[in-house]
Amino acid sequence: QLLRDARSRAAPVRRPQPTTARRDLPDLRFAAPDAADDAAAEPAASQVRAGSLPRLVEQLTYERYVDPQFAATFLLTYRTFTTDAELLRLLELRFDNRPLDGDADDLPLAPVGAEEQERLEKIRFRVTGVLKQWVSVYWADDFEPHGELQAALQRFVDGRM
């Protein structure tokens, strides 16, 4: 009876509604403009709620800042929406400054000026950090049982890093 009385007096729980539709954050420079279903984040907190895989990888390796919480969450959950081989492929493309959308494997590297070279170095640093975290935390889950993933990572590290 006491519990029923307390429930009847309690205000109903309501989920907060976003006040504005979020597009890109002003300081984020993505490869392409947002599509309607591409990415969404809370405007005030700048927290990612959803996104296409290429956009999530760009966010993961964004050159202006590191988001350790996003990286940890992404590496914990990526298996629900992609494969480890696809993630490694996208990280390689990002490291080489190639577009992550479409058939980017055949595209040449974009020309890089002094400012773009500095940006590319920061991206490469971020990709290296993600790979380090991925290998150190999830080696037993992702790399140890998959020799082909180990070999692909080894080729990437030996060939381009």
Side-chain angles (χ1 to χ4, degrees):
Q1 178 64 22
L2 184 60
L3 185 57
R4 257 186 260 137
D5 290 341
R7 283 186 185 164
S8 66
R9 284 182 272 148
V13 176
R14 293 186 184 143
R15 294 183 71 194
Q17 298 297 316
T19 56
T20 59
R22 187 256 186 217
R23 304 309 306 150
D24 287 335
L25 297 173
D27 65 334
L28 285 178
R29 185 173 75 183
F30 289 113
D34 266 343
D37 63 347
D38 213 15
E42 292 295 332
S46 301
Q47 293 179 337
V48 175
R49 291 183 295 139
S52 65
L53 183 57
R55 282 292 175 95
L56 293 173
V57 171
E58 284 183 359
Q59 177 72 26
L60 184 65
T61 58
Y62 185 56
E63 69 270 11
R64 288 200 183 179
Y65 58 83
V66 178
D67 186 348
Q69 182 178 358
F70 177 73
T73 302
F74 181 87
L75 290 173
L76 181 65
T77 61
Y78 80 89
R79 293 162 205 78
T80 62
F81 53 87
T82 192
T83 64
D84 45 21
E86 178 65 8
L87 175 56
L88 181 59
R89 185 185 78 79
L90 288 173
L91 288 171
E92 289 179 31
L93 290 174
R94 185 76 168 141
F95 187 87
D96 291 338
N97 199 30
R98 293 177 185 244
L100 302 181
D101 301 31
D103 187 23
D105 292 329
D106 297 330
L107 296 175
L109 292 174
V112 178
E115 189 175 302
E116 281 294 306
Q117 183 63 36
E118 183 179 331
R119 180 179 166 270
L120 179 58
E121 288 174 10
K122 289 177 182 179
I123 290 171
R124 288 181 170 174
F125 183 73
R126 301 290 190 257
V127 169
T128 303
V130 168
L131 287 172
K132 179 183 176 197
Q133 183 177 0
W134 188 17
V135 168
S136 64
V137 176
Y138 296 102
W139 177 263
D141 297 324
D142 296 337
F143 292 93
E144 194 169 32
H146 302 107
E148 65 278 356
L149 186 62
Q150 288 181 37
L153 178 63
Q154 190 66 50
R155 282 191 303 274
F156 173 62
V157 169
D158 290 344
R160 299 209 282 307
M161 290 186 120

